[in-house]
Amino acid sequence: MSIDFDPYYKYSNRSTIHYESKQHPRTPFPPRRFRLIPFIGIAILLLIYYVSPPQSLSLTEVPGTIDWSKFAYSQYATDSATLCNAIMVFEALERLGSKADRVLLFPEQWDLTVEGPKDRDSQLLNLARDQYNVKLHPIEILAVAGSSQPGTFDHPQESWDTSITKLLAFNLTFYDRVLHLDNDVTLFQHLDELFLLPPTPVAMPRAYWLPEHPHTLTSLLLLVTPSPAELTYLLTTLAHQRAASSSPAFLLSTVSQTTDMDLLNARFGASALVLPHRPYALLSGEFRQRDHSAYLGTASPATAPEVWDADVVRAEAKLVHFSDWPLPKPWIMWPWEGLAEMQPECARRADGADTGGCRERVIWKELYEEFRGRRKEVCRLLSVPAPEWRLLKKGIQKAQGETEERKEMSSSKDKAGKDRKIEAQEAEETKQEGNGSQDLEKT
């Protein structure tokens, strides 16, 4: 008996024979004209890959992976001027597309009831809540000397004492992470990516403008994991410093008060996650410097692998912090004499001729003008009139003189202490020699 070969048999095992429909036979290979399709598709994908610009991947771009309600930016206000500055930060975060919450710590003496057209504080609080989705939290203003009363437009808080109020960010325990920014800044980009850093109690940038203290951190940007225990520790440390401030040793020291930056460096200086100051901590005063090696991170400008470029630095920065002391902050107009004295110099040739390279001056002025323009637009406030430069410089010289006097007194005190220590050692040696002589005589 012979069995004819049937190509439509399909053997699944040795004992069973399956039959496939002869109306739809399976061909072992596709027709020749279809075999090139996969190769053509791969070639197209490779072409798209090499022609398209590279794209950076970010967790922030993956929808549904991050619960942004666990993170918040915090600001605090101690007077009417800093209230407007804080709202300008929130406006920038809204405009730049930040996804994290926003929290404003404001003096408990204020309220949301607008009592008239001149009640700017209440108007601005309502603006923050309604237009920029800010969560409002009344607080007691902290100060080095204890608590403090809020300032006004006519009598602002002009002391750094109340800057320790930012430490209350540690008390916002309903968030996993809080990012506090000083409000005398201009934001160029949001900073949401910082919330996704590895877990750490505190992250801060280096104060690159203090080369004599290369390990000092700056609190102009402060990323914290909220912890009431840490807040208690910091405030307890401050209380001890305040109690010691009446002692002669403290009065003779070169530091007359403890700031938030002092406290944070003492506590976290050796353990904080250090953020790069490029791009997170650019000072406006950098555009007035001749030597940019500290910002560029180079030991010697002459041998630096990177050349200073004002436009590149401005473009890479996430924010700029206004710091051009003794010129006033940007919400206060410049004294013209002070502007002429303090503005960035234009590049000059060896013979002193102007080369036309004034980009630093242009950028520096634009930063201030842009801040003042946004202040008028967001808060409906004009700039504070300029102080008299002569009186401002006189106060600066007085402060510098007092600092030098404290240093001299501290140095004299240290020298006197060393002299007393040497005298005590010599007296002890003389006493021991006398005792040894008496023992020999007795022998």
Side-chain angles (χ1 to χ4, degrees), residues 73 129 154 225 408:
Y73 291 87
R129 181 194 62 188
D154 297 329
T225 299
E408 292 176 2

Side-chain angles (χ1 to χ4, degrees), residues 178-198:
V178 174
L179 179 56
H180 179 84
L181 302 173
D182 281 359
N183 58 37
D184 50 346
V185 302
T186 289
L187 277 176
F188 303 126
Q189 303 174 48
H190 70 68
L191 311 175
D192 286 5
E193 70 277 4
L194 295 181
F195 293 114
L196 308 180
L197 289 173

Side-chain angles (χ1 to χ4, degrees), residues 3 6 27 100 144 155 220 222 246 267 272 285 302 316 384 405 428:
I3 300 177
D6 189 342
T27 57
V144 171
H155 300 89
L220 73 85
L222 178 64
S246 59
R267 175 67 183 92
E316 75 179 8
V384 177
E405 184 179 354
E428 182 65 23

Side-chain angles (χ1 to χ4, degrees), residues 170 177 197-207 215-219 221-225 230 261 263-276:
F170 282 99
R177 265 185 163 167
L197 289 173
T200 181
V202 164
M204 302 164 67
R206 292 280 186 213
H215 301 297
T216 301
L217 304 174
T218 173
S219 59
L221 186 156
L222 178 64
L223 178 68
V224 307
T225 299
E230 289 290 358
M261 195 162 155
L263 288 168
L264 291 166
N265 273 276
R267 175 67 183 92
F268 299 107
S271 62
L273 176 63
V274 179
L275 302 175

Side-chain angles (χ1 to χ4, degrees), residues 418-429:
K418 291 178 181 178
D419 292 341
R420 286 194 295 270
K421 185 176 181 180
I422 293 172
E423 291 174 358
Q425 290 176 345
E426 292 176 349
E428 182 65 23
E429 291 174 357

Side-chain angles (χ1 to χ4, degrees), residues 10 75 82 91 95 105 115 140 171 177 203 207 230 249 251 259 349 376 385 410 416:
K10 180 179 179 182
Q75 290 283 293
T82 54
E91 181 277 332
R95 172 168 39 86
L105 309 175
E115 297 178 352
E140 179 184 8
N171 220 27
R177 265 185 163 167
E230 289 290 358
L251 294 175
T259 65
R349 297 199 303 262
K376 182 179 180 181
S410 178

Side-chain angles (χ1 to χ4, degrees), residues 72-73 90 93-94 98 100-104 132-135 175:
Y73 291 87
F90 293 134
L93 291 171
E94 176 78 13
S98 170
D101 279 4
R102 299 151 203 166
V103 176
L104 174 62
Y132 303 119
N133 301 311
V134 177
K135 294 177 172 58
Y175 294 106

